[in-house]
Amino acid sequence: MYSDTRKLIVFSAPSGSGKTTIVRHLLNATDLPLAFSISATTREPRPGEIDGKDYYFLSVEAFKKRIAEEAFVEWEEVYEGVFYGTLKSEIERIWNAGKSVVFDIDVEGGISIKRHFGDQALTIFVQPPSIDDLRKRLEERNTEGPEQLETRVSKASKELQRAPEFDTILINDQLEEALVKAEKIAAQFISE
Ligand code: ADP
Ligand code: 5GP
């Protein structure tokens, strides 16, 4: 049995650590009562990404309008000129459907959610074995140009220092092991 309190599970990490892979696994390959918090962003969709499923893709103007309306629980200019944020309406939508909310957001965003929701939120820092591994994963994912890749890697070194501010650190070395651990951590938290 799962408790019926309104909960949030946050996966944060530097880009390339594997949080999207882990979150997709929890949502698609387990029967945990979870739903994904679809963030708003001003970046361009990647091939295959769908508006309203992966992100709500907004213009910078539309995003700023939502900020002024106080529609976000948290938002960040994650990269220069590129905004990402969690809409309050997303969390309500998911809770109203009787599920816990799962987030894939950056390190600052994860810390903001914890500050805002306290014990209702579990924050998980997904840690790559090393910066070199992270770089290799981003190179293999091949979704960024060389310049954007360097931006993400240099940001990652700073973000890794924030790991102790999270409730749990999940090391993503062998993917299968990390997936099993993520499942256990999520199941435990929502049953508390
Ligand atoms: P993030 O969402 O943190 O940016 P992704 O989930 O997109 O990261 O993972 C980055 C890349 O690394 C993807 O191509 C993914 O398939 C790969 N990856 C994820 N976990 C591992 C792992 N444990 N070992 C090797 N490659 C991995
Ligand atoms: P990407 O462009 O690779 O999809 O995401 C870039 C970064 O923005 C990732 O670290 C991702 O987790 C983060 N991100 C996605 N959505 C949000 C959000 O709603 N808020 C914050 N603060 N960061 C987000």
Side-chain angles (χ1 to χ4, degrees):
M1 271 305 282
Y2 295 109
S3 68
D4 60 0
T5 49
R6 300 170 143 222
K7 294 200 169 156
L8 312 112
I9 304 178
V10 181
F11 288 87
S12 293
S15 182
S17 303
K19 59 193 179 305
T20 306
T21 308
I22 292 170
V23 164
R24 283 206 185 125
H25 169 81
L26 290 181
L27 295 166
N28 300 333
T30 75
D31 55 7
L32 296 168
L34 304 171
F36 181 58
S37 167
I38 303 164
S39 295
T41 183
T42 64
R43 83 149 160 74
E44 291 296 315
R46 291 180 187 140
E49 283 185 333
I50 297 167
D51 185 38
K53 181 169 175 276
D54 298 289
Y55 279 106
Y56 299 112
F57 293 100
L58 302 182
S59 64
V60 173
E61 195 186 26
F63 197 100
K64 288 189 172 164
K65 184 163 175 280
R66 304 308 315 265
I67 296 173
E69 292 165 352
E70 298 187 359
F72 291 108
V73 187
E74 63 78 36
W75 63 270
E76 297 284 334
E77 188 174 354
V78 175
Y79 305 105
E80 205 184 329
V82 188
F83 296 83
Y84 293 81
T86 304
L87 292 160
K88 291 176 184 168
S89 55
E90 249 330 83
I91 297 179
E92 282 305 320
R93 173 180 76 78
I94 294 168
W95 278 346
N96 289 340
K99 295 189 173 174
S100 294
V101 188
V102 174
F103 297 84
D104 170 348
I105 64 178
D106 87 326
V107 171
E108 283 297 338
I111 292 167
S112 296
I113 294 284
K114 184 72 187 181
R115 205 178 300 127
H116 199 274
F117 291 99
D119 288 346
Q120 265 178 296
L122 178 74
T123 52
I124 301 165
F125 189 92
V126 180
Q127 190 165 303
S130 68
I131 287 273
D132 275 353
D133 284 283
L134 182 121
R135 177 188 288 279
K136 272 188 217 125
R137 287 178 193 178
L138 284 175
E139 283 167 357
E140 278 163 25
R141 192 173 72 184
N142 200 21
T143 48
E144 277 78 29
E147 206 176 299
Q148 278 179 317
L149 195 139
E150 286 314 318
T151 307
R152 285 172 188 240
V153 172
S154 72
K155 194 171 181 223
S157 324
K158 290 187 202 110
E159 287 173 326
L160 285 171
Q161 295 168 14
R162 313 289 301 270
E165 294 174 57
F166 284 72
D167 293 322
T168 304
I169 297 176
L170 174 62
I171 298 188
N172 179 19
D173 185 356
Q174 295 304 315
L175 181 60
E176 279 310 313
E177 284 173 26
L179 296 179
V180 171
K181 272 193 202 140
E183 252 180 271
K184 283 194 184 141
I185 294 168
Q188 168 69 30
F189 180 65
I190 56 182
S191 66
E192 277 169 7

